[in-house]
Amino acid sequence: MKFIDQLHRTIVIQKTPERIVSLVPSQTELLVDLGLESSLVGVTKFCVHPKHLRISKKVIGGTKKINVEKIKELQPDIILCNKEENTKDIIEALKEIAPIHISDVSNIHDCFELIRMYGELFKIEKAASSIVASIEEKRINFQKKVETIKKQKVAYFIWKDPWMVVASGTFIDSMLREVSFENSFESENRYPEINLTDERLKDTDIILLSSEPFPFSEKHVLELKSKFPRKVIKIVDGELFSWYGSRLLKSYTYFSKIIGYK
């Protein structure tokens, strides 16, 4: 059987995969919600949802550094990766062990495509379609709430020392637009380093500090508040902005709270 992944690579498998290694936390959660937990044999140390997985499944490393021998011992039928989360060296090291499916998710439509791809790949089309429909329903309901609100400019910080923000060409940027925000750094690409003296911060209405990958806390809010006393500064749940897949079932309810809608 032949399948195409999101990098337009052809994957050849002999049967529906029954032993899955997932190297992407959000995709691991998606697999569980698709009813494939029993097929998961290997996950990363960052696969924190659901919590028990790191006890019940073999942990094979992180998303950037893996234990190739552990993966080989698991004898997977397929390995699930992501263009951004995993490195080219990882793909190269694993290519002789099992077929590799690589995702590439930049927006909500890419996310829907990935879920449907998994539906086809693992012969669970009904479950995949159900998750897509549920996310789409929540998305449409949220869009009705925000269609008349005034757009505000935001800076979404993901790192400190150096300060780094989200810019264009990222899934988080697409989620900011879903919330009806304007990204102050949309003219940049990916995750640029900036200084707090950057002129674009002067025109920013809201500064968002992500809970991951850098663990921003209230002390960082106070630090930035001393520099930008008139701006709204919030810590936000990074998973609900950056985890594509079934986590989006919770994202739009969270977005409603952020902009003041219950």
Side-chain angles (χ1 to χ4, degrees):
M1 296 182 288
K2 292 184 179 181
F3 297 90
I4 305 296
D5 69 12
Q6 288 189 300
L7 294 186
H8 307 291
R9 299 163 58 252
T10 299
I11 302 164
V12 179
I13 58 175
Q14 302 304 315
K15 62 175 184 176
T16 301
E18 296 177 351
R19 297 179 62 81
I20 306 168
V21 167
S22 174
L23 302 185
V24 187
S26 57
Q27 292 172 193
T28 300
E29 180 182 44
L30 172 60
L31 293 171
V32 173
D33 289 335
L34 285 169
L36 293 169
E37 182 173 347
S38 62
S39 295
L40 271 169
V41 294
V43 300
T44 76
K45 63 183 179 181
F46 301 116
C47 293
V48 296
H49 297 299
K51 293 181 180 179
H52 65 265
L53 276 189
R54 290 180 296 170
I55 299 173
S56 62
K57 307 297 180 180
K58 178 72 72 174
V59 175
I60 48 72
T63 56
K64 308 296 185 188
K65 294 182 179 180
I66 59 169
N67 187 316
V68 175
E69 288 306 312
K70 279 187 178 181
I71 295 177
K72 189 180 295 184
E73 289 170 5
L74 291 172
Q75 297 182 331
D77 296 321
I78 195 163
I79 301 170
L80 304 181
C81 297
N82 173 263
K83 179 184 175 182
E84 182 172 308
E85 292 264 15
N86 310 125
T87 66
K88 289 182 179 179
D89 287 342
I90 284 178
I91 305 301
E92 188 67 22
L94 297 177
K95 69 180 184 180
E96 300 301 329
I97 297 176
I100 301 172
H101 185 286
I102 304 177
S103 63
D104 184 17
V105 180
S106 297
N107 54 57
I108 190 77
H109 302 293
D110 292 340
C111 172
F112 290 160
E113 179 185 62
L114 177 63
I115 297 172
R116 292 190 181 104
M117 280 182 170
Y118 282 0
E120 182 182 4
L121 181 61
F122 299 110
K123 292 192 174 357
I124 47 167
E125 290 92 341
K126 186 175 181 181
S129 295
S130 177
I131 288 179
V132 169
S134 295
I135 295 172
E136 189 64 77
E137 181 182 6
K138 293 177 183 295
R139 182 185 185 222
I140 290 170
N141 290 336
F142 176 77
Q143 288 174 333
K144 290 177 181 177
K145 293 179 181 179
V146 300
E147 60 186 1
T148 60
I149 69 170
K150 180 184 176 182
K151 289 184 182 292
Q152 293 182 297
K153 286 191 173 183
V154 303
Y156 189 106
F157 282 80
I158 59 165
W159 203 259
K160 183 181 186 297
D161 297 327
W163 294 101
M164 295 175 68
V165 294
V166 164
S168 294
T170 62
F171 184 71
I172 296 174
D173 177 64
S174 75
M175 288 296 101
L176 292 176
R177 283 184 269 115
E178 289 282 316
V179 187
S180 214
F181 287 144
E182 289 184 9
N183 191 340
S184 296
F185 293 89
E186 65 180 356
S187 62
E188 300 280 353
N189 191 47
R190 309 297 291 167
Y191 307 106
E193 296 180 14
I194 68 163
N195 295 313
L196 295 183
T197 55
D198 194 296
E199 287 294 316
R200 288 164 290 191
L201 289 174
K202 291 183 179 180
D203 297 326
T204 296
D205 300 304
I206 303 172
I207 293 175
L208 301 179
L209 304 180
S210 182
S211 62
E212 63 169 42
F214 185 89
F216 283 108
S217 63
E218 287 301 322
K219 70 178 182 181
H220 301 111
V221 173
L222 293 175
E223 178 182 352
L224 289 175
K225 202 71 176 174
S226 68
K227 299 180 182 297
F228 306 104
R230 296 185 180 181
K231 297 191 185 301
V232 175
I233 303 174
K234 296 181 179 182
I235 295 175
V236 293
D237 189 329
E239 291 178 358
L240 294 173
F241 274 93
S242 65
W243 282 39
Y244 47 87
S246 50
R247 176 103 332 207
L248 286 169
L249 290 166
K250 301 178 180 179
S251 292
Y252 290 98
T253 300
Y254 180 71
F255 295 161
S256 293
K257 293 178 181 178
I258 286 179
I259 62 173
Y261 288 90
K262 302 300 183 184

